[in-house]
Amino acid sequence: MPNIFPQIPPVAMPEVIPSELPQQKFHLGEWVRWFQVPNCDFGRVIGVIYTQQASCIATGLHYLVLLDERSPSREICICDFAFEEDIEPLDNSSLEGLQGNHV
């Protein structure tokens, strides 16, 4: 039987699970954008995970972002993980500027 999940990155449980997880800065459904990349991808947070040394070597919260259909990278990537330090919230006026109309 073929592998039906070939693109899911490996997941690793932390060796020591902290007694308290960091407070989330972004929440499910919130609009965010990458602010340190030239094409300024944007979308909605659809998941949050805490990981240690999984597909990248970084411990902490990672946000799964569903890219908006008008986001520049949407043709090649529907969802992407983001580090908290790499994204910022979008308000309605910013969304209008990125998309050209109301969401």
Side-chain angles (χ1 to χ4, degrees):
M1 176 175 226
N3 183 356
I4 59 173
F5 301 108
Q7 296 180 347
I8 296 176
V11 176
M13 290 295 293
E15 290 181 23
V16 177
I17 298 176
S19 58
E20 291 186 34
L21 294 176
Q23 186 68 29
Q24 286 179 227
K25 182 176 178 182
F26 304 102
H27 301 283
L28 296 179
E30 187 172 354
W31 284 96
V32 295
R33 75 176 184 119
W34 280 259
F35 62 90
Q36 296 181 345
V37 293
N39 63 357
C40 191
D41 279 315
F42 61 100
R44 285 186 180 232
V45 174
I46 61 170
V48 182
I49 62 169
Y50 180 85
T51 187
Q52 177 183 11
Q53 300 179 347
S55 60
C56 55
I57 299 176
T59 299
L61 294 175
H62 303 268
Y63 297 87
L64 181 59
V65 178
L66 173 65
L67 297 180
D68 186 84
E69 62 188 29
R70 290 161 286 220
S71 189
S73 297
R74 178 63 186 250
E75 290 181 20
I76 60 170
C77 180
I78 295 173
C79 294
D80 197 2
F81 277 103
F83 296 109
E84 195 167 81
E85 308 81 45
D86 294 335
I87 56 176
E88 65 184 3
L90 282 175
D91 57 23
N92 283 339
S93 61
S94 297
L95 279 170
E96 291 171 19
L98 290 170
Q99 299 177 332
N101 57 25
H102 294 280
V103 174

